[in-house]
Amino acid sequence: MNRWGKSIGAVLLAGSLMIGGMGLSEGFKGPQTAYADEVQKNIVNVVGKGELSIKPDIAYLSIGVSTTADTAQEAQKGTAGKIAKLTALFKTTWGVADKDIQSTQFNVQPNYTYTEKDGQKVKGYNAQHTLQVSYRDLTKVGQLLDAASTAGANNIGNVRFAIEDPSAFEAQVIDKAMQNADVKAAAIAKAAKRGLGQVVTVIQNDDGNHPVVYAEAAMQKASMDSAAGSSVEPGEVKVTTLLNVTYELK
């Protein structure tokens, strides 16, 4: 039995001797509090960080069309025609699967003008339709965006590079975080002139963030000469995790 097992046994024994004529729960109240205080005085808590820099394997492209017309129906029809043309281009020329093309935004809104004489009046309508395209050949992202622009896309947002399956790197990043926690805890124990014991608890702090990096800066650096084409560099993305680790101090 380890040291902690012996301590617990001693606490239980002390509790049984104090019960006497009291209820079972009352008998344990004092020793349990004492044991908890002892544990709190003999632990150290640190946060270990794990991080991996990895080349992305997928890009999420925001490509849309905005059309203005005198009526809502005309604006919607104009946008629908261009979106259909873009969708066909992605599938036939660029080999994008149906599952990798998703509508993320669609709206038709009136455009207003205002004068003191007539007040606010509707002057035409604007229809917007945006697609998210998942694309895996990262060497051709710039070419695909140029082709989309030529085909009628006039609302191209940031390119988002990511790792499609970050769970494949989860074990590695957790191991790095645990190593980081070990180093921190050992340094604290040494400074306190104590020894570092076993791990008591480990809690992973997952904030729900996905490993992604935005390519806005890369797109801004693209050549202004349309003949040169857009240049978008994927760079690297980071997979991170945090572990809240509690150790026993000897």
Side-chain angles (χ1 to χ4, degrees):
M1 183 180 295
N2 59 29
R3 184 168 67 85
W4 290 104
K6 291 178 179 179
S7 299
I8 294 171
V11 171
L12 292 176
L13 178 59
S16 64
L17 292 174
M18 292 177 63
I19 291 174
M22 295 184 295
L24 183 60
S25 60
E26 287 186 69
F28 279 131
K29 192 174 298 182
Q32 283 179 330
T33 302
Y35 175 65
D37 289 343
E38 180 185 352
V39 171
Q40 289 298 320
K41 293 177 183 178
N42 289 281
I43 63 173
V44 59
N45 183 266
V46 298
V47 176
K49 181 178 181 180
E51 180 176 287
L52 293 173
S53 294
I54 304 168
K55 289 184 177 181
D57 56 16
I58 192 168
Y60 299 105
L61 318 176
S62 177
I63 301 174
V65 172
S66 179
T67 303
T68 300
D70 292 336
T71 67
Q73 185 177 7
E74 290 174 348
Q76 183 176 345
K77 184 177 180 181
T79 298
K82 292 177 182 178
I83 286 293
K85 183 178 179 181
L86 284 169
T87 301
L89 174 71
F90 297 147
K91 291 180 180 180
T92 58
T93 304
W94 296 91
V96 180
D98 290 345
K99 66 181 180 65
D100 291 327
I101 303 175
Q102 179 183 4
S103 292
T104 57
Q105 181 185 26
F106 176 80
N107 62 69
V108 180
Q109 295 179 332
N111 295 321
Y112 294 100
T113 60
Y114 178 84
T115 64
E116 291 186 3
K117 179 182 178 180
D118 301 323
Q120 182 173 279
K121 284 191 173 182
V122 174
K123 186 177 181 180
Y125 291 81
N126 188 61
Q128 292 183 331
H129 192 159
T130 304
L131 302 175
Q132 177 178 279
V133 179
S134 302
Y135 195 62
R136 294 172 182 80
D137 188 348
L138 304 191
T139 62
K140 296 181 179 179
V141 169
Q143 298 174 42
L144 188 152
L145 293 176
D146 289 338
S149 180
T150 301
N154 56 8
N155 187 9
I156 297 178
N158 292 335
V159 178
R160 183 166 60 94
F161 292 104
I163 299 168
E164 191 165 16
D165 182 18
S167 64
F169 303 96
E170 187 174 8
Q172 295 179 51
V173 77
I174 288 176
D175 185 61
K176 278 183 170 289
M178 199 66 202
Q179 290 179 35
N180 181 244
D182 287 344
V183 170
K184 288 182 178 180
I188 293 172
K190 182 178 179 181
K193 296 180 174 57
R194 301 285 295 273
L196 191 65
Q198 65 184 359
V199 173
V200 179
T201 61
V202 180
I203 299 174
Q204 184 178 21
N205 297 324
D206 183 7
D207 59 5
N209 290 333
H210 299 287
V212 297
V213 63
Y214 291 92
E216 181 179 6
M219 292 183 70
Q220 289 175 346
K221 294 178 182 178
S223 171
M224 295 301 292
D225 181 4
S226 59
S230 300
S231 175
V232 182
E233 300 298 330
E236 292 184 332
V237 298
K238 295 185 184 299
V239 179
T240 64
T241 194
L242 296 176
L243 297 180
N244 194 307
V245 187
T246 301
Y247 297 81
E248 170 195 354
L249 282 178
K250 296 180 179 178

